[in-house]
Amino acid sequence: MTDQTMTIRALDAAATAAEAYITGLDAAPVAATVSLADLRARLDIGLGDTGTAADEVITDLVAAVEGGITGSAGGRFFAWVIGGTLPSALAADWLAATWDQNAGLTACSPAASAVEEIAGKWLKDLLGLPAVASFALTSGCQMAHATCLAAARHRLLADRGWDVEADGLAGGPPIMVIANDQRHLSIDRALRLLGIGTKALLPVATGDDGRILLTAFDAALAAAGDRPVIVALNAADLNIGSCDDFATLIPRAKAAGAWVHIDGAFGLWAKASPRHRAVVDGVERADSWATDAHKWLNTPYDCGIAVVADAAAHRAAMTVSASYMPVDGYAREAVDWNPEWSRRARGFAVYAAMRELGRDGIAALVDRCCAHAATLAHGIAALPGTRLIGGPGLNQALISFGDATDAVIARINASGEAMFGATTWRGQRAMRVCVINWRTTDADIARAIAAVAAALD
Ligand SMILES: Cc1ncc(COP(=O)(O)O)c(C=O)c1O
């Protein structure tokens, strides 16, 4: 068998399995149906001394993971903020793997470099962010935070005469971070990775609507005094989809000399919707924004997006050069903007998703998910023994079934009809409702409400 034949056979096996997964999404249970122990037992067959034919490896893998692949690509997966995958984005991602392009350097793949450059330009335009801002396509919002906050760290300390890239943080001016008390923990972890540390965090109290309280915010800025300050705001918070009052908070923070960073993992996409963009009014005045393509743009995992208004700070924080790297003065070298060195060509899927939907299609996707989330949340809340305790805000809501919350979620998930996750919010156990998949239909929402009703029975 030739190398090519082997590859084609393996791809055919993968395509057959992919087709079965996609066509089976409506009928298959949404949550996993096998235990981790069973999966381990099936997969751990020992690493043999001799190899296995490529197509057989794929066929065996597909059989071994049966029941352990959730329906997260389907329309009734409402657990966590996990977007679907648009057809063109999925296909482009297959090609990214097939072409095996290293998108770190333009010389390795001029096509990956050009596609990413155009995708970045379109993204900034779509999200209403400054055209001159720099960007990076990272593994996710977590690394987008790390990238943006590395730029913030550079600018704040360089302005005080401290070269953090050369000298590190020890002995330098200590940075303070003022953040929404409902922030996602990826902000905290970015601070850990950057050596700023979580003790630098001053969480600011929020109201019942999840938005930072202005008096608490002003007090935090005053407490910072002359220290270099990063302000981290939510667009939107992961539980109830609430966005901070950017139009009020950002000018105040900037007047105090702070760098303003936005966790816009999913909520920043409201900017793409004429119907919903008012909730993120003023967000474009921040200094940096972290979001995800694998959430509301519905590209496959993984792809985060970091955008930085101060391109010089961004570049200073990330740039590298080595004698073996060819330099092309006209190229945008991803390695100068990204925390990774070698990296997947994520731009293909991002470019494809934006072309497939266009501006109107992306706005319609955001609008449809928000409408579905509201119908789902209110539909469940109308059932006996049920309370809507948060939202709906954008595409998020929180439902309580009282003391039975975890048990009810377990019954819904065991039914296979839909999948939800649990959380504790302001001291109460709750079921999270998140709709963020282009595949979700009216029928899916009705089926999910029926599944919750059955679980309550
Ligand atoms: C509000 C928010 N911020 C950050 C993240 C982290 O994003 P990622 O998993 O892409 O790193 C998430 C993940 O769901 C999120 O909801």
Side-chain angles (χ1 to χ4, degrees), residues 61-388:
L61 178 67
V62 170
V65 300
E66 168 79 34
I69 301 287
T70 62
S72 57
R76 282 169 291 108
F77 183 92
F78 307 112
W80 308 290
V81 193
I82 293 186
T85 299
L86 287 161
S88 68
L90 173 59
D93 193 60
W94 278 19
L95 285 174
T98 308
W99 292 332
D100 193 23
Q101 304 288 283
N102 181 344
L105 284 176
T106 302
C108 295
S109 180
S113 174
V115 163
E116 187 162 323
E117 200 175 308
I118 305 306
K121 186 171 106 177
W122 289 0
L123 281 167
K124 287 183 284 176
D125 181 37
L126 187 71
L127 299 174
L129 303 179
V132 294
S134 51
F135 75 95
L137 299 186
T138 58
S139 56
C141 194
Q142 170 71 79
M143 287 317 291
H145 287 324
T147 304
C148 291
L149 296 182
R153 186 182 66 166
H154 170 88
R155 173 56 61 222
L156 291 170
L157 297 186
D159 284 353
R160 286 160 177 81
W162 189 264
D163 182 351
V164 68
E165 282 76 31
D167 296 326
L169 285 170
I175 295 175
M176 181 169 168
V177 183
I178 295 173
N180 185 307
D181 69 0
Q182 301 295 307
R183 72 194 170 279
H184 191 269
L185 286 177
S186 49
I187 293 281
D188 301 41
R189 189 157 63 169
L191 298 177
R192 282 161 48 195
L193 293 174
L194 292 169
I196 295 172
T198 51
K199 279 193 180 164
L201 259 169
L202 179 59
V204 189
T206 46
D208 287 344
D209 60 0
R211 303 174 103 198
I212 282 182
L213 296 170
L214 190 53
T215 45
F217 186 69
D218 284 341
L221 283 177
D226 290 338
R227 284 174 66 178
V229 173
I230 295 171
V231 168
L233 304 177
N234 282 348
D237 105 288
L238 73 155
N239 289 311
I240 58 171
S242 139
C243 295
D244 279 315
D245 178 359
F246 306 116
T248 304
L249 302 183
I250 295 178
R252 286 169 121 91
K254 304 274 271 190
W259 175 291
V260 182
H261 173 68
I262 307 295
D263 180 351
F266 62 96
L268 195 59
W269 291 89
K271 264 279 197 195
S273 155
R275 184 174 303 168
H276 289 285
R277 67 170 59 119
V279 299
V280 285
D281 186 34
V283 76
E284 66 284 351
R285 290 154 84 177
D287 294 291
S288 56
W289 305 263
T291 184
D292 272 320
H294 60 218
K295 289 193 169 63
W296 231 333
L297 186 58
N298 279 204
T299 65
Y301 277 83
D302 52 18
C303 186
I305 303 163
V307 182
V308 182
D310 182 345
H314 182 181
R315 191 188 173 96
M318 288 297 151
T319 191
V320 281
S321 65
S323 57
Y324 67 82
M325 293 173 164
V327 176
D328 173 344
Y330 293 104
R332 173 189 179 276
E333 298 296 356
V335 79
D336 284 331
W337 308 101
N338 269 76
E340 304 101 343
W341 200 286
S342 295
R343 54 189 286 276
R344 186 176 182 79
R346 301 186 179 107
F348 291 122
V350 175
Y351 178 89
M354 283 193 284
R355 270 214 66 204
E356 181 179 334
L357 291 183
R359 261 177 228 285
D360 292 350
I362 294 170
L365 171 60
V366 169
D367 294 352
R368 200 166 66 243
C369 289
C370 294
H372 280 327
T375 309
L376 183 54
H378 291 303
I380 297 172
L383 300 170
T386 303
R387 236 166 14 100
L388 179 66

